[in-house]
Amino acid sequence: MKKSFKIFLCISMIILLFSGSVFAQESEYILKREIIYQNNRKRTLEDGFVEIMLGQLNFTQYANDKYLKVTPKPDKIKQDKFGNMYAYYDATGMLKDEKLVITIERRLTSSTFVTEEPILARSNGSITDENMIYVEPQERIESDHEEIIKKANEITENLTTDYRKASAIFEYVNTTMTYATDAASANKGALAALNGQKGVCEEFAKIYVALCRAEEIPARVVAGYKVEMKDEKEALIDHTWAEIYLDDYGWLPVV
């Protein structure tokens, strides 16, 4: 069996997070990242591969991809059930200390989401085949766990629409969770976030998504960047957030 060397590059999209924005603002970005894999073993690799997550193209309504370039050309491009693309390189035969330098460049436009219509009473008509995977549990999004189901029912008690339920879950997450970067809290998943009440943005997103899915609201975790102003210049900050799906609106960002 070949040994796997996975490197995850989360550049699925950019979302502009301008609090209080009342108009759509579109900006263009070029994302470029270099990843270096080196054979640190004392011998030539007899087997193995490198796999890098590329994300998706035109994944959401507030981002539009112009191009995605991966250099050198991957041996294969694979895709998972969520549509995420992976660049695959066969590392068999790499010499001791040999390096594989991979460059990923992406150009896209991104804008704020704006709607003038009230959506406070919005519910989905039904769960479609396309959205079914976004109400199911998955690794570190344990929406079928009894503790998460119990908490979701408690938070949304007496609420009748998906939007109101999602809003109540948002308030719960952001008033009970504490941001913490220590190893014991970060990157542990939804159930750990529920029990520990702390974590990084990934925990905030995953506990939110798990609670929504427990209420059969299509929800998903998105990895990418947010834009912040530093010294009067735009800076891209690694970020993870959630989206929910509402009929007639599509996927909406939940920051």
Side-chain angles (χ1 to χ4, degrees):
M1 179 182 293
K2 287 192 173 184
K3 295 181 179 179
S4 166
F5 302 92
K6 289 189 177 181
I7 305 173
F8 293 100
L9 177 66
C10 298
I11 55 171
S12 296
M13 64 193 69
I14 296 176
I15 178 174
L16 301 186
L17 309 181
F18 295 142
S19 300
S21 177
V22 295
F23 58 93
Q25 177 178 337
E26 184 174 87
S27 299
E28 183 172 276
Y29 297 89
I30 296 179
L31 305 179
K32 191 172 184 179
R33 179 168 290 184
E34 184 179 84
I35 298 173
I36 301 175
Y37 171 77
Q38 182 173 356
N39 177 16
N40 292 324
R41 299 184 180 180
K42 296 180 180 180
R43 63 182 187 278
T44 300
L45 290 181
E46 296 179 359
D47 59 22
F49 62 90
V50 176
E51 193 172 76
I52 301 172
M53 186 178 181
L54 303 175
Q56 298 186 28
L57 296 174
N58 299 321
F59 184 60
T60 192
Q61 60 187 346
Y62 46 88
N64 181 31
D65 287 275
K66 303 299 184 181
Y67 66 75
L68 173 64
K69 296 179 181 179
V70 185
T71 308
K73 183 178 178 180
D75 295 314
K76 292 180 183 178
I77 294 289
K78 297 183 177 181
Q79 194 169 357
D80 65 18
K81 68 177 182 178
F82 298 100
N84 293 307
M85 296 181 296
Y86 297 80
Y88 172 95
Y89 295 88
D90 188 346
T92 302
M94 282 190 68
L95 303 175
K96 177 180 175 296
D97 295 327
E98 183 180 352
K99 294 181 180 179
L100 173 61
V101 181
I102 302 167
T103 302
I104 300 159
E105 182 175 313
R106 191 181 197 123
R107 180 180 177 185
L108 72 159
T109 57
S110 179
S111 61
T112 52
F113 174 80
V114 176
T115 178
E116 296 179 356
E117 300 179 19
I119 55 179
L120 295 179
R122 178 67 55 176
S123 282
N124 295 300
S126 62
I127 302 300
T128 65
D129 291 341
E130 180 181 358
N131 289 335
M132 182 61 68
I133 59 174
Y134 297 112
V135 295
E136 295 176 347
Q138 64 185 96
E139 183 180 4
R140 298 188 182 182
I141 303 178
E142 306 96 332
S143 55
D144 59 344
H145 194 281
E146 60 180 8
E147 291 184 42
I148 288 181
I149 294 173
K150 180 180 178 181
K151 179 57 67 174
N153 291 339
E154 176 186 315
I155 295 168
T156 62
E157 186 178 9
N158 299 325
L159 299 177
T160 58
T161 70
D162 288 347
Y163 184 85
R164 290 188 186 278
K165 289 179 181 180
S167 296
I169 293 170
F170 177 84
E171 182 177 358
Y172 168 80
V173 171
N174 284 276
T175 56
T176 61
M177 287 282 291
T178 300
Y179 190 86
T181 58
D182 58 282
S185 304
N187 306 316
K188 301 298 183 182
L191 185 59
L194 178 64
N195 292 326
Q197 296 291 299
K198 58 182 180 179
V200 293
C201 56
E202 182 177 316
E203 272 66 50
F204 279 71
K206 286 186 175 179
I207 184 57
Y208 178 83
V209 167
L211 291 167
C212 283
R213 290 186 182 184
E215 292 296 317
E216 296 192 343
I217 301 171
R220 63 190 183 187
V221 176
V222 182
Y225 301 97
K226 65 178 178 179
V227 178
E228 290 187 353
M229 298 301 296
K230 289 189 176 182
D231 299 325
E232 299 183 355
K233 293 182 180 180
E234 290 182 344
L236 300 181
I237 310 300
D238 289 338
H239 189 47
T240 301
W241 63 96
E243 290 184 337
I244 60 169
Y245 184 88
L246 291 179
D247 287 346
D248 302 324
Y249 290 92
W251 288 100
L252 303 179
V254 181
V255 180

